[in-house]
Amino acid sequence: MDALDRKILTELQLDGRLTVTELAARVKLSVSPCHRRLRDLEREGAIRGYRAVVDPVAVGLNFEALVFVTLRWEDADTVTAFEEGVAAVPHVLQAQRLFGDPDYLLRVATTDLGAFQQLYDQQLARLPGIQRLTSTLVMKHVVDDRPLPE
């Protein structure tokens, strides 16, 4: 991957709806080579897909929390069961396995505090292998959906 490929990726992260012609103009390349590079980036997996970025508040998800999870055991079966369980909870927007303690970080969005409490009690706390859950509320997004650095 060279600097031009990275520029293509940056432009698409800023606006994924660019036409190939618009993209080529932004990266100062003719359309055919730009299209070839774009298809190569898709085929190689550098571009995993295209999607709309939806504002959670605009669809009524006004409450966001970060949930730190410590597992009781970290054997393969427990980790697999927990990860499958958390993947099935739609309000978990992101789930990341961490080194050290805690074991996982979950980003959760709900309509309000009551909905979060219900989700916490009825789904999150019942996930397999959990020893401890600790939550903190998101006050403000300072950096959000930033493109990856070139």
Side-chain angles (χ1 to χ4, degrees):
M1 179 173 305
D2 63 14
L4 196 50
D5 288 336
R6 292 186 188 284
K7 181 67 175 159
I8 289 170
L9 293 174
T10 297
E11 291 298 331
L12 287 174
Q13 287 177 91
L14 293 171
D15 185 356
R17 295 184 71 175
L18 289 173
T19 66
V20 175
T21 303
E22 292 167 331
L23 179 61
R26 288 192 185 186
V27 299
K28 298 178 180 24
L29 193 63
S30 61
V31 174
S32 292
C34 183
H35 189 259
R36 181 187 52 76
R37 283 177 176 262
L38 180 59
R39 293 297 168 240
D40 288 347
L41 289 167
E42 292 170 345
R43 189 173 38 260
E44 294 166 3
I47 298 173
R48 295 189 304 197
Y50 299 90
R51 63 186 178 96
V53 178
V54 178
D55 181 356
V57 173
V59 295
L61 297 173
N62 302 307
F63 188 88
E64 190 172 327
L66 300 177
V67 180
F68 302 95
V69 180
T70 301
L71 295 181
R72 184 169 284 110
W73 319 111
E74 292 185 60
D75 61 278
D77 290 340
T78 302
V79 167
T80 299
F82 173 78
E83 289 180 359
E84 288 173 355
V86 82
V89 180
H91 287 274
V92 175
L93 304 180
Q94 294 177 330
Q96 297 156 332
R97 187 170 181 196
L98 309 173
F99 279 108
D101 188 36
D103 299 309
Y104 289 87
L105 170 62
L106 311 180
R107 181 174 156 236
V108 177
T110 62
T111 55
D112 55 28
L113 177 61
F116 174 71
Q117 180 186 354
Q118 187 174 29
L119 177 75
Y120 187 98
D121 292 343
Q122 294 179 6
Q123 293 184 55
L124 299 179
R126 295 179 182 183
L127 289 168
I130 289 183
Q131 177 182 347
R132 181 176 65 249
L133 295 174
T134 307
S135 301
T136 190
L137 306 181
V138 175
M139 183 187 315
K140 174 183 172 183
H141 288 269
V142 178
V143 177
D144 193 30
D145 273 338
R146 173 184 284 162
L148 296 174
E150 287 186 42

